[in-house]
Structures are given as structure tokens and as C-alpha cells.
Amino acid sequence: MNEFIEQFLIEARELVEQGTADLLAAEERPKDAAAIDGAFRAFHTLKGSAGIIDFAAMARALHVAEDSLSEARGGSLPITNELISHCLSCLDQVVQWLEVIEQTGEPPADADSGADAVVALFEPGAPTPAKASPEVAANLDAWLDALSVAKPDVRAAARSALCHQPDEGSFFRGDDPLVRIRDLSGLLAVDLVPTGPAVPPAEIDPFACHLLIFAISSEQVSSLAPAFADVAGQFEWRELAGPVVATLSPAAQLIEAQIALLQGPQGEGFDGRKAAALNTAINVRRAEGRDADARHIEHLAASDAGVEALVDTLRSGAAAPADNAAEEARASEPSAQDLAARSLRVNVERIDALVRLTGELTVLKHAIGHAAAMADRGDTESLGTMLKAQYGSLDRLVSELQHAVLNIRVLPLRHVFQRFPRLVRDMSDKLGKPMRLVIEGEETEADKTIVEALFEPLLHVLRNAADHGIEVPGARAEAGKPPTGVVILRARRDGDHLAVEVEDDGRGIDTARVRSVATERGVASAAAIAAMSEEAAADLIFAPGFSTRSEVTGYSGRGVGMDAVRVAVQRLGGRVSLHSRPEHGSLVRMTLPFTIMKTDVMTVEAGGQVLGIPLDTVIETARIPRAAISNIGAAQAFTWRNRTVPLLDLSSAIDASTASTSSADALVVIVTIAGEYCGLEVERLGERMDVMLRPMEGLLAGLPCAGTTLLGDGRVLLVLDLHELQL
Amino acid sequence: MTVRLGADGIIHIAGVCGVEDAEPLLRYLLAAPEPRVDWHQCEGAHTAIVQLLLKVRPAIDGAPLGDFLNQHIAPLVSPRYAGETALFKA
Amino acid sequence: MPFQVLIVDDSKLARMAITKAMNNLHPDWTRVEAPNADDAIALARQQHFDIALLDFNMPGRDGLELAAELRALAPGIALAIISANHQNEIVNQAHDVGAIFLPKPLTEQALGQFLTQVQQSKGQS
């Protein structure tokens, strides 16, 4: 890959991120000139970059989006949800191209169709299924709230709701919006609200449409929306809770929606809708890991099969789930994207610090060379003092170097947080729940490894909050909450730790339901679950086996339960806790080490092996007379400060040969593990060390260790992860 | 004639009214000091017609012939149902 | 006579592209890069530049504002504004501050023409 392409990828990724953030900011604050300016500039610079590497299709796609943003910036085009969505779609396309370039080292040759699709989005008058502006969405929420008070029976029978604001000029185009409403199947109720400025009757323009049309139906959105595909104006659809939808997985719902599209009217534009529906279906099956099904659909699509055959195939999901193992193997290989994320942009000052240290080390090297020459000559008179001084300098430089290197690896959490506003926007759209993501403390810094590894667990916790925490607008209204749910993503330094929290103002954890699900899935015995405190019951959502639902998502493409979140955070040396207040919301807190590289350890010997114990877990060391150690069943315990503390023989815990217990006293290191005291019996106490941990690799990976480091004599020091020890 | 002004000063809407009827309807509505509309012969009305009735709010006589109008629209445009139309204000 | 050239663009990729073209055209000329207007002004206060190539679209001050400031600092400097938006308004404003407008992405040919013009005018003065 040549250096231009390399630089292009770096800058383009940054510009996409910046553009996304600015677009979302502009959507939230349409009057914020800086946001729309920033978005414009990002698109403009991206276009310029595409030109530099001769990627004409990408430049073309960005050009139309840039034009629209330019008009929006000048005030001649309103900043609508639709405009922002189209610009985001353009960036999505750009990201796909970037991935191809990443892999092949050059712009894709077949990018024109992608560029055409983006250009088509921005063409005026194109019958795009317009998305509604936030006001229209909010109107629908308010109307539904009012309806559930005024006509609860009608509201209860409804499965879908629509707020439609026809284009002002729709009468001129021959549209009669109410006819569409009249023909809506399952129509239950209609409401009309005149909009626009109130004018005296004499100034009314009878041919300008200024109406908000509300309607609810007993049919699902998926079976109604296609009939409006060619109508100009804004639409806001809501799926209203019904018994059948709840039992369908998101994937099944998507498939049903595609079936509805295929079974819709076969008039103008049907071919396009059919292609889109099949594409979506193929993607859904792929995301589920059902590649054989996906290929089957592809095959049918290519052979121009009839609608009936297609629907049958979609419904049955006929083909057997094949070559899953191969799929999984492929999924576990790091993608080019993962590898790319390993490159790091570093503040110049931090590099300068390293350069300065290198200089000082060079000076010291010369000095030590000089000392060596003296020793060689037998000139040893002042050698000891000299070496001691040099050792002192080296000690200082190495610790500074460690510090400087760690600082290079430090990243602000913005790095991972900035991807979430977009994802939450998509969740909000998909779930039909208006949601706002508030980010706090994004400037908080932490080790790069931790920052980057937080994406997946945070995504899952956010998705969980969106799915299960935030209520649908109707339920929020009943609970006296504003229609828009608020999710706060927060980071802060907490002493030596990093705290990352996801808080929502939803319904909190329904512990009764958690208990029943946990019992049903055999997470623990029914009696144990029934006896649990409310807190412990809520915590069950982290239990392995609690979440069985495999969610299909566009992001990870595989299901993860909250147990995966806990495992991921523990792997980083952190903890996850959950605080729920019924009806008020819940808070998930991840507490993580600030850095996973540098650890204070105390060395001990057990079973002939030198081991490191993280110093932050050590309370004290003690000699306990054997007589004071009692046997409790197969285990041992001793009394220390009026407590009974379990005693663990460290050599047997690491499966080393059991040492003889001939000594009169047991040498014990008293530690805390997850708030509990524990004594570790060792053979010898070593020293305190400040070590850089390397992750466990290869054969060592299975041991209960946090990492390894090299000792001065070349031996490998295993640093124990006490949480992993089987007590 | 789908929209006509009767000798009694009442505006009659009948049959299926298209978008083109909106202009004469507005003219009649503006001409009368207290406009009155009779739509018991009306089978269907374009959105533009309904919109005028909503904005000008004349007195309305009779239930329209068309089912959709009668069931869903009449309650919204007829002042007799004023209590129900106040479901939501934009 | 080798010239001192200042290249200002917030995109490193763009600066690399210009540098490459400059390298082909005049490898003996000195090139100095700046990622924004502030750095460019700071550099211009410290050393002399014969030519400045400025990106129009940058965060903070744009290329036109920077051109005016550079002109005030060094009246004899030859200026080019580079932009992907070939709008008459920008072209005219560029001319108002005595700068040449060059379309982006900058081709070696267009840059070469501009540099030749500069050489001629400097040679004559």
C-alpha cells in the first residue's frame, strides 16, 4: 500500500468520525452554525482526499452530499432528519469503500453503483421513503398519549400508528392524502390537525396542504407502510405493542417486513422494492450465520423466481444451517479493520518526551562504557561509587521511560464514545423509542487497550438499556416521564481506577421477571433464586445462561448476553455492577484499572516457583502458628483480627508439587479478593516490584494469571490474578 | 355541480368532491357572514375540502353519505363533536 | 534561484500530494508545511517565504483570511488559494487579495504553470 493510500485511510476515517459527530450535533441543534459548518468541512475535505487518490466515484457521492450541506449552511435548505439520514448513508457508503481500500490497497473499480445510490438519495423529488422530523415524531407520541387517555379501548386494539405530514404541494402533484388513510387496512381512528401559521380565512390557500394526519390501525406497520412508499411528505410510523411481535426475534421481524414488501402492490417501483427486500433478507440471514439460507435467497433472486417461491423460502428458512464451524473460524480471525485500529496517533509532546529520554539514555550509556573501560584497566578505586550513581540515573530514566511509554498508550474515551451517538440514533429509529444519548467525561483518559476493548461491552449495555430499560413513549407518558428516554454514558477517573457508567431513566430491572426467567433457564435452583435479595436477583442478568436470545445486529453480528459483558470487563481486570431503581431507571457501572500494564507486585515463592501477587490486594503478611490453623471440612482456616479467614496453600492452588508443611509457622500473605479476606500460604516472601505486565500467551494462557514479566535473572515471573484462583 | 350555493344561503356539498372544488367552496365560505354547509349528499371529499372545513369551521348539517367521512372525518369537522376534536393540538 | 515555499493545508494527505508535485517540479526548493493558519503565521514571522500555497477550506481561519494576513506580513509573497469548490465568489476574493486560484485536487501541471509565472514575475522584478 503506498503512503498516499495509507494517509488517505487515516484521514478519511477521522473525517468520517468527525462528519458523523457534526451531523448528529446539527440534527440536535439545527441553529448551531459550528456543527453544520464542521459537517460541511468534513465532507468537503473527504471529497478533496478522494480526488487526490483518483477515486472519482467517492468524490461524486460526497459532492452531492456536500452541496446539500452547503445549502443547509447557507440557510436555503432546512436541516431535516431526512437530510442528516442521507448524509449518514453517504458516510456509511464511504466506510464500506474504505474497508475495500484497506484490504486491496486501492479504490474499488466497481464503486459507481454505490455512488449512484448515494446521488439518488439527494435528488429532489425522488420518492424516497422520507423519515419524519423529530417534531413529527414527538407529535405522534403526544397524540398517542392523549389517545390512550381519551379512547383507551381503541388504543388497546391498535398495532400501529402513523403521523403523516404531507408535502405542502402534495395536492398539486395529484395526491389526496386522506384517500390513502381511508384505504388503510384495519383503520381504527383518524385525527386531523391543521398546521402552519393561523391566517384569516380570506388568506387561506386552498391548494396548499397544511395538515398533520394521525391514524392508528389494527395491522402491523410492515403491512401498511409499503402502500405509502410513493407518497411525498413526512411519515412517522410506530409499531404498537402486540402479543405476536413480542415473540418474534428482531431477525424474524425483519424477515416478516421483507415478506410484507414482497406481497405489497406490484405497481411502479416494485422491482426496486423487491431487490431491496431480498438484499435485506440476505443480510439478515448472513448476520444470523445462516449463510446457506442467504445463498439460497441469492440464487432465487438471480433466477427471477416468483414472489410465492421467494416468500416460501423466506418463511421456511429452508436450507440447513451449514458450514457453521468454518464461519466461526473466519469470524475469530482479526479483520483488517481490527489490525488497522492498532495504529495510534500520538501527541507530539509525548514523542518529544521519548526523544529527550533517549538522549539521556545515550549519555548514560557512554558513561557506563567509560566505567567498563576503567574496570577493564583494573582502575577500580572509584568504580563502585560511579556504578552506584549510574545505577541511580538508570533507575530514574527507566521509570521515566515507563511513564512516557504508558502516556503514549493513553487515549481519551472519546475515541470509543464518539461512535455511540450514531448507534443510539439507529437503535432509537429501529425500536421506535425516542432516545437521547448524553455523554459525560469523554475527555477522561485510559490505557489504549482498555479504551478500545470497551466498545463491545458498552455497545451491549447500551443496547440492553434501549431494548429493556427505556419504555415505549406511551408507557413513559403513563409513568409521567417525558417521551424521550435519556441514556447517559459517563466516564471519570476514580482514584487509580476508571469508572464507566451507562445510566438510563427507563423502567429499571424487573426483578420478578428476572427471577422467573432465571428459574426457567436453570441459572440456579428455584429455591436459591427465590431466596435472593432484590439486588442479587437483578445481578442475575449477568449470569451465564441467563441471556439465550441471539440478537442479530448490524454491528457485531452475533449474540452476546450481559454475561459476556461481565467476562469482557473482568478480562480487562475490572468489575461490573448494576444498580436498579424500579420505575426510575438503572445504572451499569464498569470499574476498570487505569492501566493494565504497570502493576505493583510482591514476589513470593510457592511450590518452588516465584510468583507475583498484585500489591493492591495484599493487606499484610503474618506468621501463623500451625496450631492456630483449624480444619473445616477439606478446607483450612485461621483466626486473624477476630475473623475466620480461609487459608489456601498457594503451591497446590497453582498445581505445583505440594510443599512439605514441616515448618512450625505458616508464612501467610493476607489478601482481599472481591471484598473477602483470604490467607495464602507461601514458602518465602520476596520483594516489592513495579513491573510491566505482558498478557499471557501460548501455553501459559490457561493459568490463573494476570500476566507475566521478566525477572532480573531472566526467569519469568507469573503475576497471579487472585480472582481466578479457585478458593 | 358538487359544490353549490343554495337559494337558502346554505353551501351544499354532494357526490365526490375533487381538489378543484376547494376554490369555489372557499369563495362561498368567505362570502357568507355565518357560513353553513350541508354535506348529507357527500360521498367523498378530497383532503383539500376537508382541510377548508377544518380551518374555516362553518356550521355543518347532516351526516355525510360516505362511510369514511361519516365515521372518521365528520366528528373532526363538526362543531357538535368539539369535545372530541380537542384530542390534540399541534 | 531556489525559492522558499510554504504549504498550508489541514489535510496531511493534501500536503503530501503537493509536496510530491513540488518534488517533481523543483526538487531544490525549500518546502515548509503547516496544518493551520496559526502555525503558518508563526512560521512566516520567523522566516522568509517567496510562495505560499493555501488550502481554502480549513478549520479556524480559511485560506482567504490567511492570504490577507500573509500579504500584510510579506507584501512580496506569491499566493495561491487551492479549493475544490470552483465558485466565482472564491475566485474573485482570491484575486482581491492578490492570490491565484488553483482547483483541487491540484495537478502537477496547474501547479507547474503557477510556479513558472511566479519565477517570471520574480525574475523581472
Side-chain angles (χ1 to χ4, degrees):
Chain A
M1 197 181 300
N2 76 40
E3 54 174 341
F4 280 83
I5 295 283
E6 245 167 64
Q7 185 62 28
F8 168 81
L9 286 172
I10 293 173
E11 283 184 22
R13 287 229 157 81
E14 284 178 358
L15 287 164
V16 167
E17 274 175 7
Q18 191 208 324
T20 305
D22 284 335
L23 284 171
L24 295 174
E27 182 177 37
E28 200 174 315
R29 307 184 299 273
K31 295 205 166 60
D32 183 347
I36 193 76
D37 263 7
F40 168 80
R41 212 170 24 245
F43 276 74
H44 178 85
T45 309
L46 262 177
K47 182 181 81 173
S49 309
I52 289 173
I53 62 156
D54 284 328
F55 189 0
M58 175 167 151
R60 189 156 62 87
L62 286 159
H63 182 74
V64 288
E66 182 203 340
D67 270 357
S68 288
L69 287 171
S70 170
E71 284 176 41
R73 191 162 73 140
S76 58
L77 190 73
I79 299 171
T80 58
N81 173 283
E82 182 185 348
L83 171 69
I84 301 293
S85 290
H86 290 168
C87 290
L88 288 172
S89 301
C90 176
L91 291 182
D92 288 344
Q93 177 61 69
V94 167
V95 168
Q96 286 182 23
W97 285 328
L98 294 183
E99 275 164 24
V100 175
I101 298 175
E102 176 92 49
Q103 271 154 22
T104 64
E106 54 191 46
D110 56 349
D112 273 314
S113 59
D116 289 344
V118 172
V119 171
L121 279 179
F122 287 91
E123 262 164 18
T128 48
K131 302 272 299 181
S133 68
E135 297 95 276
V136 173
N139 280 337
L140 181 54
D141 293 334
W143 183 76
L144 282 170
D145 292 347
L147 184 73
S148 42
V149 175
K151 299 177 179 174
D153 49 330
V154 176
R155 168 67 183 74
R159 295 286 305 285
S160 62
L162 164 68
C163 178
H164 172 34
Q165 181 166 25
D167 267 7
E168 187 180 292
S170 59
F171 297 167
F172 282 108
R173 277 203 288 274
D175 274 351
D176 185 352
L178 280 177
V179 165
R180 305 277 186 159
I181 300 294
R182 184 193 71 199
D183 296 342
L184 213 55
S185 59
L187 184 66
L188 293 171
V190 178
D191 201 357
L192 301 174
V193 178
T195 60
V199 293
E203 288 169 31
I204 291 176
D205 176 354
F207 299 122
C209 185
H210 290 288
L211 275 183
L212 274 181
I213 304 174
F214 297 92
I216 53 171
S217 152
S218 57
E219 301 278 319
Q220 289 180 52
V221 172
S222 53
S223 62
L224 301 176
F228 287 83
D230 59 336
V231 179
Q234 299 193 34
F235 290 88
E236 178 70 20
W237 290 94
R238 279 278 188 292
E239 195 85 54
L240 302 177
V244 179
V245 179
T247 62
L248 280 180
S249 73
Q253 286 181 37
L254 274 171
I255 293 289
E256 282 302 321
Q258 306 321 312
I259 290 174
L261 268 177
L262 289 173
Q263 291 175 329
Q266 303 207 357
E268 203 180 322
F270 178 72
D271 284 347
R273 285 200 294 281
K274 179 173 143 194
L278 291 175
N279 247 333
T280 308
I282 290 166
N283 286 336
V284 168
R285 291 303 185 217
R286 286 246 163 80
E288 286 180 298
R290 292 164 64 173
D291 276 46
D293 286 346
R295 278 196 298 275
H296 192 52
I297 301 170
E298 257 173 345
H299 178 72
L300 281 178
S303 65
D304 216 358
V307 167
E308 296 294 310
L310 286 168
V311 168
D312 280 354
T313 308
L314 291 188
R315 277 254 160 77
S316 66
D323 52 12
N324 260 347
E327 287 304 318
E328 272 166 34
R330 190 177 344 143
S332 65
E333 277 168 30
S335 69
Q337 206 179 350
D338 291 340
L339 295 175
R342 296 233 177 112
S343 69
L344 182 64
R345 305 198 88 193
V346 177
N347 189 325
V348 178
E349 284 165 30
R350 289 174 175 167
I351 295 289
D352 287 349
L354 280 179
V355 171
R356 185 182 58 75
L357 282 169
T358 312
E360 287 191 43
L361 279 170
T362 312
V363 171
L364 187 61
K365 182 195 83 176
H366 292 314
I368 293 175
H370 176 65
M374 280 167 68
D376 217 19
R377 289 199 301 271
D379 179 4
T380 54
E381 193 180 331
S382 56
L383 199 58
T385 335
M386 192 184 268
L387 277 176
K388 212 166 178 183
Q390 284 166 355
Y391 169 77
S393 304
L394 193 59
D395 190 38
R396 175 182 62 82
L397 283 176
V398 167
S399 99
E400 276 181 39
L401 190 62
Q402 242 177 28
H403 187 73
V405 169
L406 286 175
N407 260 329
I408 284 189
R409 295 181 48 95
V410 158
L411 277 183
L413 278 151
R414 182 182 308 110
H415 195 78
V416 54
F417 281 9
Q418 68 190 357
R419 296 164 71 182
F420 290 119
R422 169 74 198 277
L423 297 173
V424 169
R425 182 184 192 269
D426 289 351
M427 290 176 209
S428 171
D429 274 3
K430 199 175 118 196
L431 297 168
K433 297 177 183 174
M435 267 184 274
R436 198 157 58 88
L437 180 68
V438 178
I439 290 182
E440 295 173 5
E442 60 175 357
E443 68 289 344
T444 312
E445 293 184 323
D447 189 277
K448 177 177 184 286
T449 314
I450 289 184
V451 172
E452 282 168 355
L454 276 176
F455 178 73
E456 286 265 343
L458 278 177
L459 175 65
H460 189 71
V461 173
L462 282 169
R463 200 186 292 138
N464 212 56
D467 275 350
H468 309 298
I470 302 293
E471 310 91 332
V472 294
R476 290 185 65 85
E478 277 165 32
K481 296 179 186 178
T484 301
V486 178
V487 181
I488 303 171
L489 177 56
R490 183 186 295 126
R492 62 165 192 276
R493 266 307 274 280
D494 196 357
D496 255 0
H497 287 86
L498 166 74
V500 181
E501 298 175 346
V502 175
E503 185 176 356
D504 67 67
D505 69 344
R507 61 168 76 91
I509 305 285
D510 179 351
T511 44
R513 189 165 154 63
V514 169
R515 282 179 209 265
S516 82
V517 171
T519 311
E520 206 176 285
R521 295 182 181 158
V523 170
S525 75
I529 290 173
M532 281 178 181
S533 66
E534 283 293 281
E535 217 169 291
D539 207 60
L540 281 170
I541 65 167
F542 293 111
F546 178 78
S547 172
T548 56
R549 186 163 64 130
S550 71
E551 281 175 85
V552 177
T553 73
Y555 319 117
S556 63
R558 55 188 181 272
V560 275
M562 290 293 275
D563 62 325
V565 172
R566 178 160 276 180
V567 168
V569 171
Q570 282 176 345
R571 198 173 292 148
L572 295 170
R575 297 188 305 278
V576 185
S577 61
L578 172 71
H579 307 270
S580 163
R581 287 199 302 148
E583 304 312 321
H584 289 89
S586 48
L587 172 90
V588 173
R589 175 180 299 136
M590 306 179 181
T591 309
L592 296 144
F594 170 70
T595 160
I596 58 167
M597 290 189 67
K598 204 172 139 194
T599 315
D600 264 346
V601 300
M602 177 177 158
T603 61
V604 297
E605 270 179 52
Q609 168 90 52
V610 183
L611 297 165
I613 299 176
L615 204 63
D616 58 0
T617 63
V618 176
I619 306 293
E620 66 176 51
T621 56
R623 281 186 180 278
I624 309 283
R626 296 253 168 239
I629 297 170
S630 48
N631 290 320
I632 302 173
Q636 289 189 312
F638 61 98
T639 304
W640 172 75
R641 294 190 189 167
N642 297 325
R643 286 170 214 272
T644 305
V645 177
L647 179 67
L648 182 78
D649 185 356
L650 200 51
S651 59
S652 60
I654 60 162
D655 291 331
S657 56
T658 311
S660 63
T661 50
S662 53
S663 57
D665 291 347
L667 192 54
V668 175
V669 181
I670 295 159
V671 296
T672 60
I673 305 172
E676 301 290 327
Y677 291 102
C678 177
L680 301 175
E681 184 180 346
V682 302
E683 284 139 35
R684 195 166 292 121
L685 293 174
E687 58 199 321
R688 193 184 141 169
M689 292 169 95
D690 201 4
V691 298
M692 290 249 234
L693 280 190
R694 293 189 309 184
M696 304 293 290
E697 281 160 4
L699 290 174
L700 298 174
L703 290 173
C705 290
T708 63
T709 194
L710 279 182
L711 291 174
D713 58 6
R715 279 185 302 164
V716 173
L717 175 71
L718 295 177
V719 177
L720 295 173
D721 179 355
L722 296 182
H723 295 271
E724 297 271 328
L725 281 183
Q726 296 301 311
L727 295 179
Chain B
M1 196 62 185
T2 41
V3 172
R4 90 194 146 79
L5 187 62
D8 48 6
I10 294 174
I11 304 161
H12 294 269
I13 305 179
V16 177
C17 298
V19 66
E20 68 285 352
D21 292 319
E23 200 168 8
L25 174 62
L26 178 61
R27 217 167 46 234
Y28 297 144
L29 287 170
L30 290 174
E34 282 181 31
R36 206 169 180 87
V37 171
D38 182 332
W39 71 341
H40 78 273
Q41 297 281 351
C42 183
E43 293 160 36
H46 189 276
T47 310
I49 304 290
V50 175
Q51 176 173 266
L52 280 179
L53 296 179
L54 274 174
K55 289 199 171 179
V56 182
R57 296 217 156 267
I60 296 203
D61 290 340
L65 268 183
D67 281 344
F68 174 72
L69 284 183
N70 188 32
Q71 195 186 339
H72 293 293
I73 304 300
L76 301 173
V77 299
S78 168
R80 267 181 303 172
Y81 296 87
E84 289 191 24
T85 61
L87 195 54
F88 172 70
K89 295 265 179 271
Chain C
M1 180 184 70
F3 283 149
Q4 313 276 323
V5 184
L6 175 64
I7 300 165
V8 189
D9 197 311
D10 56 320
S11 159
K12 187 180 169 202
L13 177 66
R15 297 200 303 272
M16 283 164 65
I18 296 172
T19 304
K20 187 180 166 202
M22 289 285 306
N23 219 1
N24 291 340
L25 293 164
H26 300 282
D28 54 329
W29 292 10
T30 311
R31 297 176 302 268
V32 177
E33 298 179 23
N36 56 51
D38 286 343
D39 287 12
I41 292 293
L43 284 166
R45 283 188 204 284
Q46 284 168 14
Q47 70 180 97
H48 165 82
F49 290 108
D50 302 285
I51 301 170
L53 303 169
L54 314 175
D55 177 35
F56 169 67
N57 214 304
M58 290 186 291
R61 282 167 297 172
D62 66 29
L64 285 169
E65 290 172 72
L66 175 59
E69 287 181 52
L70 286 174
R71 170 72 68 220
L73 268 177
I77 195 168
L79 295 166
I81 302 279
I82 306 165
S83 173
N85 282 14
H86 196 280
Q87 292 165 359
N88 287 336
E89 200 189 324
I90 299 175
V91 178
N92 289 338
Q93 286 182 27
H95 291 166
D96 287 347
V97 292
I100 296 288
F101 179 91
L102 295 175
K104 199 175 185 174
L106 189 59
T107 61
E108 203 171 298
Q109 191 193 6
L111 180 63
Q113 276 175 9
F114 167 67
L115 297 177
T116 309
Q117 277 174 27
V118 174
Q119 275 178 306
Q120 284 167 356
S121 66
K122 297 250 173 187
Q124 283 159 12
S125 65

